[in-house]
């Protein structure tokens, strides 16, 4: 959509509020604020040097976000938790909370005179992310008009005339950058997913034509892509946040992509945990970039240390970075004029900074406007157009092709013999339609934050090569399998292919700068690409209660139940407050090995996945009388290699969990005297782990709770595991108090249900988002049934790339 803001258009719009906003904005185009910071010594010297070619900058002012670095638009999933404390009030739907505040301006500042001109002034709106056009005559930016909830892309002339709206719709469009081919790349919540570990919406890379038409998603990331900017060679540099088999707060580093979305590749830092690399832009005349290195998981509004990165030594060399800002001083939105002259912003205002970190404040907001802060300073000048990289997509195709040159060529591959890897298991990381916390519960216990789909397998040739045709626009990751289909090595990242893209990788976790031997004659290229071999006899998305528990019931529960408990193990499917006895036991006893939520990448061969999981050895026929069928073993193996989640549906998020309000006085007086971490009679009694105490509560059969039976005498039906019998019989008041608390939670579960129980209904937030995304009907009744597995499936398939010339009906999409 393109809208030219004119007096005639405004009259037709019929909104007095919008009229006032734009009338005010354009009446202020030539109104100047009194100069507050005339040039000091540093700015004066720069105006005679690197800034001599221009004298004006543009920047935005807006109300800064109060939450994580990525929460500055959209809304929260719900109205409780930490997100509620940091919001700006109700979103227009009246149900959720805003991630943005009111107040925005687009400013033009003369560095020599201090004169400020307002191109946009909207007290109820928001302005962000300005970028100059190549010709220096217009500005591209993201704007949320006062009284509206979403940011969209706009252009405006540098004199404040000819304001044009480029995009529209119910989703946010932010952080645009002009592309040399005439298009625009930007971040957008059109991807319609939530952060896998927070309450807020995600924005991934999209592109459109110069007029805002032909919008196309180019990144299938589950989490954020941020601050795209074109490099001198025509590629786009951006920050990609991802966590496949690794920590959710440690990996947000620099990647590149071609303007058409092809060639997505790590650029710098993907091996380093603990820094969010944001707002990266090239330094003119060099191959270096400047970025905000925001510490840890990243500070609000991209605040970080201004850092220069020299990529010449490779993508994984720390000494190639140089911090420019001094000490602990943090800024945002750095822009390099050259290696000794930078623009940047912080909550105080706009600064110039030299290569030694010396700084000078060149603009500060008046006191009356201090509810806003300055952002994104850029020079108001023309700039050279980067070379155009020809498109490698074929939008009529729904697949792409990937060549793997040699799977044995890579880092941390010691111990793998040539010929050992027989095939690749291809998995898809599945986006979340909603999330309710900073954790992964109830998807896993300290492990994955997302579910995965089994797509199929691809053969690996004897020389280690593979040639495959894979679905486009899906977040795919690969698992190398041996002759027994056990995992040898996991990708711990994902790859996205564009429609018709043909790309390749050298090996397994090889450095980006490495190439395949020039004399390679890959066996895989002797034939056409392999299509996926589907695995039809196992569900593509596995669900522990539905798919794994029946196997345990058949082969394991006879010996491992609340009454028999051989080896102290209970593998029954009885519900605990969040999971089941069996799931908790399998995870907590280390029977499965996953990537955990840990800051490690490129783990050693056979250290995670099915090959490293004790559960596979316990079910190979050697343990007691457990003789599983090949199909049952395959089901367990694929469940492990898809990250061993508890539910197989995102409808389980934010509901079905009912922790027992255990009486602390009873625990302290009856149990605390032993469980205080002190040594007694040669052993140390473990301190209370309250999450473990919850796992000892059986909500299906409260009297079978280990929390009750462990301290109860055998004569009274207990296990007497506590040495001294804490409870002589079930009439003990302490026993009764614990039982009452567990029964209360059991009654809640019985009434309100969990995803694996008949009559379960997802919470209202899941239903609202599925309606908003067009998956559930808008008129769905309060008592209308919901097939949660089908609803999830329709949501995921809504992202599958379809040739736009094929107009498929929803049922046709489901049957593809």
């Amino acid at each position: 959509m393109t809208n030219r803001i004119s007096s005639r258009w405004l009259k037709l719009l019929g909104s007095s509020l919008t009229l006032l906003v734009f009338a005010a904005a354009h009446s202020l185009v030539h109104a100047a604020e009194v100069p507050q910071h005339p040039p000091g010594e540093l700015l004066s010297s720069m105006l005679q040097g690197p800034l001599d070619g221009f004298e004006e900058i543009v920047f935005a002012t807006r109300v800064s976000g109060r939450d994580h670095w990525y929460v500055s638009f959209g809304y929260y999933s719900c109205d409780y938790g930490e997100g509620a404390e940091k919001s700006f009030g109700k979103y227009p739907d009246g149900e959720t909370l805003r991630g943005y505040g009111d107040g925005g301006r687009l400013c033009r500042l003369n560095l020599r005179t201090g004169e400020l001109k307002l191109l946009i002034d909207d007290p109820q709106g928001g302005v962000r992310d300005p970028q100059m056009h190549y010709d220096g005559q217009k500005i591209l930016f993201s704007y949320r008009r006062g009284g509206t909830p979403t940011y969209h892309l706009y252009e405006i002339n540098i004199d404040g005339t000819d304001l044009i709206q480029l995009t529209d719709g119910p989703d946010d469009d932010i952080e645009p950058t002009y592309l040399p081919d005439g298009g625009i790349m930007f971040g957008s919540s059109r991807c319609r997913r939530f952060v896998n570990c927070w309450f807020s919406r995600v924005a991934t890379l999209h592109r459109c034509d110069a007029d805002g038409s032909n919008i196309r998603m180019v990144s299938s990331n589950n989490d954020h892509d941020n601050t795209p900017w074109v490099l001198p060679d025509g590629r786009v540099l951006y920050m990609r946040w991802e966590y496949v088999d690794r920590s959710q707060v440690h990996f947000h580093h620099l990647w590149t992509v071609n303007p058409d979305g092809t060639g997505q590749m790590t650029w710098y830092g993907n091996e380093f945990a603990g820094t969010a690399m944001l707002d990266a832009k090239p330094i003119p005349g060099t191959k270096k970039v400047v970025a905000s290195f925001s510490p840890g998981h990243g500070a609000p509004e991209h605040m970080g240390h201004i850092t220069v990165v020299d990529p010449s030594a490779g993508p994984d060399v720390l000494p190639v970075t140089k911090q420019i800002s001094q000490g602990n001083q943090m800024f945002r939105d750095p822009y390099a004029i050259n290696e000794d002259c930078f623009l940047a912003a912080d909550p105080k205002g706009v600064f110039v900074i030299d290569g030694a970190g010396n700084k000078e404040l060149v603009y500060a907001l008046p006191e009356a406007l201090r509810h806003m802060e300055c952002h994104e300073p850029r020079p108001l000048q023309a700039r050279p157009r980067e070379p155009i990289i020809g498109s490698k997509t074929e939008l009529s195709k729904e697949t792409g092709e990937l060549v793997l040159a040699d799977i044995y060529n890579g880092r941390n591959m010691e111990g793998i013999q040539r010929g050992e890897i027989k095939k690749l298991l291809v998995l898809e990381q599945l986006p979340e339609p909603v999330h309710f916390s900073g954790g992964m519960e109830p998807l896993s216990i300290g492990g994955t934050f997302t579910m995965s789909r089994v797509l199929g397998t691809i053969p690996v040739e004897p020389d280690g090569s593979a040639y495959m045709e894979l679905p486009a626009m899906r977040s795919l990751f690969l698992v190398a399998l041996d002759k027994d289909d056990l995992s040898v090595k996991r990708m711990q990242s994902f790859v996205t292919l564009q429609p018709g893209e043909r790309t390749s990788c050298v090996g397994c976790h090889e450095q980006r700068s490495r190439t395949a031997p020039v004399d390679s004659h890959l066996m895989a290229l002797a034939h056409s690409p392999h299509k996926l071999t589907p695995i039809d006899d196992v569900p593509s998305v596995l669900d522990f209660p539905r798919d794994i528990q029946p196997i345990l019931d058949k082969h394991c529960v006879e010996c491992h139940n609340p009454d028999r408990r051989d080896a102290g193990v209970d593998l029954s499917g009885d519900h605990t407050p969040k999971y089941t006895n069996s799931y908790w036991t399998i995870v907590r006893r280390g029977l499965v090995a996953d990537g955990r939520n840990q800051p490690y990448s490129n783990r050693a061969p056979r250290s995670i996945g099915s090959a490293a999981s004790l559960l596979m050895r316990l079910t190979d026929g050697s343990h007691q009388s457990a003789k599983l069928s090949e199909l049952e073993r395959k089901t367990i193996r694929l469940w492990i290699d898809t990250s061993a989640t508890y539910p197989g549906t995102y409808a389980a998020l934010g509901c079905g969990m009912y922790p027992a309000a255990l009486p602390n006085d009873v625990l302290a007086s009856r149990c605390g005297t032993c469980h205080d971490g002190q040594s007694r009679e040669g052993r140390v009694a473990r301190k209370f782990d309250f999450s473990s105490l919850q796992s000892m509560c059986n909500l299906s059969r409260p009297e079978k709770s280990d929390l009750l039976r462990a301290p109860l005498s055998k004569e009274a039906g207990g296990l007497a595991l506590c040495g001294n019998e804490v409870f002589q019989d079930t009439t003990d008041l302490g026993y009764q108090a614990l039982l009452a608390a567990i029964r209360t939670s059991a009654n809640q579960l019985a009434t309100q249900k969990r995803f694996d129980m008949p009559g379960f209904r997802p919470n209202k937030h899941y239903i609202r988002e599925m309606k908003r995304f067009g998956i559930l009907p808008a008129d769905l009744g309060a008592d209308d049934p919901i097939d949660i597995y089908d609803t999830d499936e329709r949501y995921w398939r809504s992202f599958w790339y379809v040739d736009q010339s094929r107009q498929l009906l929803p049922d046709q999409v489901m049957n593809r």
Side-chain angles (χ1 to χ4, degrees):
M1 172 186 178
T2 301
N3 283 332
R4 187 173 301 276
I5 308 299
S6 64
S7 57
R8 177 176 178 273
W9 185 87
L10 287 171
K11 289 177 182 177
L12 292 173
L13 189 64
S15 168
S16 59
L17 174 61
T18 306
L19 255 170
L20 289 171
V21 169
F22 284 108
H26 288 276
S27 69
L28 289 169
V29 168
H30 300 291
E33 292 180 6
V34 177
Q36 298 176 47
H37 297 279
E41 181 178 349
L42 181 61
L43 177 57
S44 295
S45 65
M46 288 180 171
L47 287 169
Q48 297 175 30
L51 299 180
D52 185 48
F54 68 94
E55 59 184 19
E56 289 186 281
I57 63 172
V58 295
F59 61 93
T61 70
R62 65 176 180 277
V63 177
S64 290
R66 301 170 180 169
D67 203 340
H68 294 302
W69 50 269
Y70 49 83
V71 185
S72 56
F73 68 91
Y75 56 89
Y76 290 88
S77 58
C78 53
D79 55 3
Y80 62 91
E82 293 181 54
E85 299 171 6
K86 298 178 180 180
S87 78
F88 292 94
K90 287 286 186 181
Y91 196 69
D93 63 9
E95 297 183 32
T96 52
L97 299 167
R98 301 194 303 174
Y100 58 84
D102 289 333
R105 308 194 306 171
L106 181 62
C107 305
R108 175 176 170 177
L109 175 70
N110 189 302
L111 295 175
R112 296 184 186 276
T113 67
E115 181 184 26
L116 185 82
K117 298 177 181 178
L118 301 181
L119 307 182
I120 297 288
D121 185 14
D122 190 339
Q124 301 302 315
V127 177
R128 54 180 297 162
D129 315 316
Q131 188 189 56
M132 292 299 303
H133 191 268
Y134 296 107
D135 64 13
Q137 298 303 304
K138 59 183 178 181
I139 303 165
L140 174 67
F141 64 106
S142 184
Y143 179 30
R144 182 184 58 78
R145 296 202 320 266
T148 66
T150 48
Y151 281 95
H152 293 300
L153 306 188
Y154 285 75
E155 282 182 330
I156 193 171
N157 289 338
I158 59 174
D159 64 358
T161 62
D162 215 13
L163 179 67
I164 300 174
Q165 182 178 346
L166 303 178
T167 62
D168 65 1
D171 304 298
D172 290 273
D173 304 320
I174 60 172
E175 299 175 344
T177 186
Y178 284 116
L179 298 173
D181 62 11
I184 297 169
M185 187 169 284
F186 58 100
S188 180
S189 64
R190 296 169 189 265
C191 59
R192 297 191 170 180
R193 57 201 61 182
F194 275 72
V195 174
N196 301 156
C197 61
W198 203 235
F199 304 86
S200 55
R201 290 281 294 272
V202 164
T204 63
L205 292 182
H206 289 62
R207 67 160 291 156
C208 65
D209 293 345
D211 63 358
S213 61
N214 294 320
I215 295 174
R216 181 168 69 86
M217 185 174 170
V218 298
S219 169
S220 61
N221 195 357
N222 265 26
D223 280 292
H224 282 275
D225 305 313
N226 280 98
T227 56
W229 201 278
V230 181
L231 290 169
D233 64 6
R235 292 178 298 162
V236 178
L237 182 68
Y238 69 103
M239 190 286 304
R240 172 164 132 171
W241 179 24
E242 55 157 289
Y243 38 104
V244 179
D245 289 339
R246 54 184 183 171
S247 166
Q248 93 274 28
V249 296
H250 286 87
F251 297 95
H252 8 54
H253 300 115
L254 298 179
W255 288 65
T256 57
V257 62
N258 294 327
D260 65 351
T262 62
Q264 296 180 24
M265 178 61 64
T266 180
W267 191 82
Y268 182 77
N270 197 41
E271 289 291 311
F272 308 135
T275 302
M277 302 176 182
L278 296 153
D279 299 312
K281 305 174 191 67
I283 300 177
T286 75
K287 293 183 178 181
K288 303 175 183 178
V289 304
V290 63
S292 169
F293 274 30
S294 195
H297 185 35
E301 290 290 358
H302 304 188
M303 293 292 290
H305 306 292
I306 296 178
T307 303
V308 170
V309 181
D310 182 351
S312 59
D316 303 314
V317 181
L318 274 175
V320 302
T321 65
K322 175 187 175 184
Q323 182 176 319
I324 299 300
S325 51
Q326 297 177 355
N328 293 322
Q329 296 180 76
M330 294 201 295
F331 297 86
R332 56 173 167 256
D333 312 315
Y335 190 105
I337 307 302
N338 63 25
E339 289 189 80
D340 197 41
C341 180
F342 303 90
L343 301 172
D346 81 353
K348 298 184 184 71
V350 177
F351 290 80
V352 291
I353 303 172
D354 67 15
N358 299 306
K359 62 179 182 179
E360 180 178 323
L361 183 67
V362 299
Y363 175 76
L365 283 163
E367 187 67 34
L369 299 176
R370 294 286 171 85
H371 62 289
M372 295 188 290
E373 295 178 358
C374 297
H375 298 259
E376 301 112 13
R378 329 284 199 213
L380 197 155
Q381 63 173 170
R383 55 194 180 90
R385 187 183 293 264
E386 303 85 4
I388 296 175
I389 298 176
S391 179
K392 300 178 179 65
T393 62
E394 296 180 55
L395 299 184
S396 61
K397 294 190 173 182
E398 297 175 2
T399 60
E401 295 177 10
L402 174 64
V403 176
L404 169 61
D406 182 4
I407 198 167
Y408 303 103
N409 181 357
R411 293 173 289 180
N412 206 9
M413 298 289 286
E414 293 78 10
I416 302 178
Q417 303 300 314
R418 283 199 169 270
E420 187 174 346
I421 297 172
K422 301 301 184 182
K423 65 181 72 166
L424 297 172
L425 175 64
V426 182
L427 304 175
E428 177 188 4
Q429 190 182 36
L430 297 171
E432 292 188 8
V434 69
H435 200 87
F436 303 104
S437 74
M440 71 289 290
E441 300 85 359
L443 290 181
S444 71
I445 303 171
T448 184
F449 283 77
T450 61
M451 299 188 304
S452 302
R453 180 197 299 278
V454 177
L455 294 183
T457 60
I458 296 289
V460 174
E461 304 291 345
D463 66 348
S465 63
Y467 184 21
M468 61 202 89
E469 181 180 352
L470 300 173
M473 292 309 302
R474 314 266 283 276
S475 294
L476 309 177
F477 63 104
L478 311 178
V479 182
L481 303 179
D482 64 12
K483 62 181 177 59
D484 298 315
D485 287 341
L486 296 176
S487 63
V488 178
K489 187 81 172 180
R490 292 176 70 90
M491 187 172 175
Q492 292 193 258
S493 184
F494 72 90
V495 61
T496 300
L497 297 175
Q498 298 298 306
E501 179 179 5
R502 295 175 175 85
T503 189
S504 63
C505 53
V506 174
C508 186
H509 292 273
E510 83 286 356
Q511 276 196 324
R512 169 181 56 80
S513 53
R514 295 187 58 179
T515 58
V518 294
D519 60 347
S520 296
H521 298 285
L522 305 183
M523 297 176 68
L525 294 182
H527 51 72
S528 58
H530 283 287
K531 297 181 183 296
L532 285 163
T533 300
I535 301 175
D536 293 326
D537 52 356
V538 174
S540 61
V541 181
L542 287 125
D543 181 285
F544 182 87
R546 183 191 66 199
D547 304 317
I548 305 302
Q549 188 62 50
I551 300 174
L552 302 179
D553 290 342
K554 181 178 178 182
H555 298 283
C556 308
V557 171
E558 180 181 354
C559 298
H560 302 292
N561 60 68
D563 293 315
R564 185 164 171 178
R565 298 182 81 255
D566 284 12
V569 170
D570 180 359
L571 293 177
S572 70
D574 288 0
H575 288 116
T576 65
K578 289 186 179 180
Y579 304 98
T580 59
N581 284 338
S582 52
Y583 186 80
W584 180 271
T585 299
I586 286 171
V587 174
R588 282 307 194 193
R589 286 182 173 256
L591 303 188
V592 295
D594 58 18
R596 299 284 81 195
N597 183 26
Q598 296 178 350
Y600 306 121
S601 283
N602 192 11
R603 293 192 181 237
R606 300 186 183 276
S607 61
I608 57 175
S610 54
S613 295
L614 180 59
L615 186 60
M616 292 304 299
R617 295 194 288 278
L618 292 173
T619 56
D620 64 4
S622 62
H623 176 67
Q624 304 299 330
S625 60
K627 307 290 185 183
L628 277 66
S629 69
E630 285 302 310
L631 177 59
E632 289 169 334
R633 292 244 316 151
K634 179 196 286 190
T635 303
I636 290 176
R637 173 177 58 79
L638 288 171
W639 171 70
I640 294 171
D641 282 334
T642 53
S643 300
T645 60
Y646 173 47
T649 170
Y650 287 136
L653 294 170
C655 57
M657 296 176 282
Y658 304 102
L662 301 173
N664 290 332
D665 57 338
V666 173
L667 295 172
S669 63
R670 308 301 293 277
C671 308
T673 54
C674 290
H675 293 278
D676 57 2
Q678 301 300 313
S679 177
R680 290 184 181 82
E681 298 179 357
R683 70 182 185 89
V684 177
R686 187 174 58 183
K687 279 189 174 182
F688 282 135
D689 175 351
F690 282 94
S691 63
S692 293
L693 291 183
Q694 292 293 327
S695 72
M696 297 170 70
C697 299
N698 188 326
L699 303 193
S700 299
R701 294 178 283 176
E703 291 81 0
K704 297 292 185 181
S705 297
D706 282 355
L707 185 61
L708 297 174
R709 301 179 71 221
L712 180 65
S713 68
K714 287 187 177 180
E715 292 75 13
L719 301 172
L721 298 178
C722 294
N724 296 326
E725 294 171 348
V726 177
F727 302 136
Q728 293 295 325
D729 56 50
T730 59
T731 63
D732 187 291
L733 293 180
Y735 177 97
Q736 289 295 322
L738 291 171
L739 177 59
I742 297 170
R743 281 177 171 167
T744 297
S745 290
N747 290 335
Q748 287 181 295
L749 178 62
T751 302
Q752 301 180 45
K753 312 295 184 183
R754 188 175 292 175
F755 70 93
D756 60 338
M757 298 170 65
F760 169 76
R761 189 175 182 83
N763 70 37
K764 64 179 182 179
H765 308 292
Y766 173 93
I767 294 172
R768 181 196 64 239
E769 294 306 308
M770 286 302 198
K771 288 181 178 181
R772 180 172 281 163
F773 299 155
I775 308 302
L776 290 175
D779 60 353
L780 182 75
D783 297 320
D784 290 348
I786 299 174
D787 183 331
I788 55 177
Y789 297 98
D790 176 76
T791 302
D792 273 2
E793 188 66 29
R794 288 179 178 274
Y795 166 72
W796 295 321
R797 293 193 180 214
S798 71
F799 302 114
W800 288 14
Y801 181 79
V802 177
D803 174 9
Q804 297 305 301
S805 65
R806 297 175 57 201
Q807 298 297 321
L808 298 184
L809 298 173
D811 288 342
Q812 293 176 303
V813 173
M814 284 294 295
N815 292 326
R816 290 174 64 218

